[in-house]
Amino acid sequence: MKSVFTIISLTLLALLPVAPATADGLVVDKVYHPYVIANEQEFEWRLLSSHMDKGNRLGQRLGYGHSFGERVAVEIYMLGERDSQENFGLQAYEIEARWMITEQGQYWADWGMLFELEKQHQIDNWEAKIGVLAEKEFGKSSLTTNLFAIREWGQTLQSEWESQFRMQYRYRFILEIQPAIELYMGEDFVGIGPAIMGLHRYTGQRQIKWELGLITEVGHAGKDQTLRLDLEFEF
């Protein structure tokens, strides 16, 4: 366990010198686990609702994923967002790939990587993301970390690098109820809050997963809050 917290401390220190930047997207999102299940398919729906000093922001994401072999899974998404005129519409397209580097339990922590490419709808704006995923289980608890490097460029975006860090401490009380604490850092943002998640298994590989979290920004006096909901049906 000492090694886990040493790695986390070094990661947080590495993020501190990063210059603040204006984020085009939200820092709060799901915390990714490094695991891939062979021959699995899934449908996913995410909701993000943020109450910020400059107004409310609503985003949704609908995706379909499929694993290829035992180590790689690919998912495609359509992203929708409510604009300044309160109209909700298609905002972007995204393709995502997860690579499970190590077998679960093979080393002191389980490792994976995430690759994403996003294109805005009707605007020539792009975002590429690469991330390192790590998870360590000890007893009935799990500690998961995500560290991302992000590149933005395009028609209305200044080309720049950004970074994000996400962490989740989860207690596996029972399969259907697993409380957690989540931490998000990036782009002049620090947020923390509770979450709860679980899954219900049917026959074969069919199961439904759910996550619900409320993240409060602690980086300034505004105390912006983001509600996140994630539903996945895997089969």
Side-chain angles (χ1 to χ4, degrees), residues 52-118:
M52 302 179 288
D53 293 341
K54 52 188 177 183
N56 295 326
R57 185 171 182 179
L58 177 68
Q60 297 188 56
R61 179 184 301 233
L62 184 64
Y64 167 76
H66 196 295
S67 63
F68 297 89
E70 298 181 346
R71 292 185 178 270
V72 176
V74 176
E75 193 153 359
I76 54 174
Y77 293 97
M78 292 189 299
L79 288 70
E81 192 168 307
R82 185 170 59 196
D83 61 23
S84 57
Q85 285 77 43
E86 301 296 316
N87 297 315
F88 188 86
L90 183 62
Q91 193 258 346
Y93 313 94
E94 183 179 282
I95 184 168
E96 170 189 292
R98 281 180 297 115
W99 173 31
M100 186 172 73
I101 299 175
T102 62
E103 296 285 350
Q104 188 170 5
Q106 183 178 6
Y107 298 107
W108 67 270
D110 303 320
W111 296 90
M113 294 195 72
L114 180 84
F115 305 90
E116 286 184 1
L117 182 64
E118 180 183 311

Side-chain angles (χ1 to χ4, degrees), residues 150-196:
I150 303 165
R151 178 70 173 177
E152 295 181 333
W153 72 95
Q155 183 177 340
T156 61
L157 290 177
Q158 179 182 353
S159 297
E160 61 182 2
W161 285 97
E162 301 174 357
S163 64
Q164 291 182 6
F165 177 77
R166 306 173 189 173
M167 184 170 68
Q168 179 190 88
Y169 173 81
R170 174 170 53 107
Y171 179 70
R172 302 188 304 278
F173 176 60
I174 58 175
L175 200 62
E176 292 81 5
I177 302 176
Q178 302 178 36
I181 296 291
E182 296 181 340
L183 170 69
Y184 295 84
M185 301 175 63
E187 320 321 323
D188 203 23
F189 177 95
V190 179
I192 190 170
I196 189 165

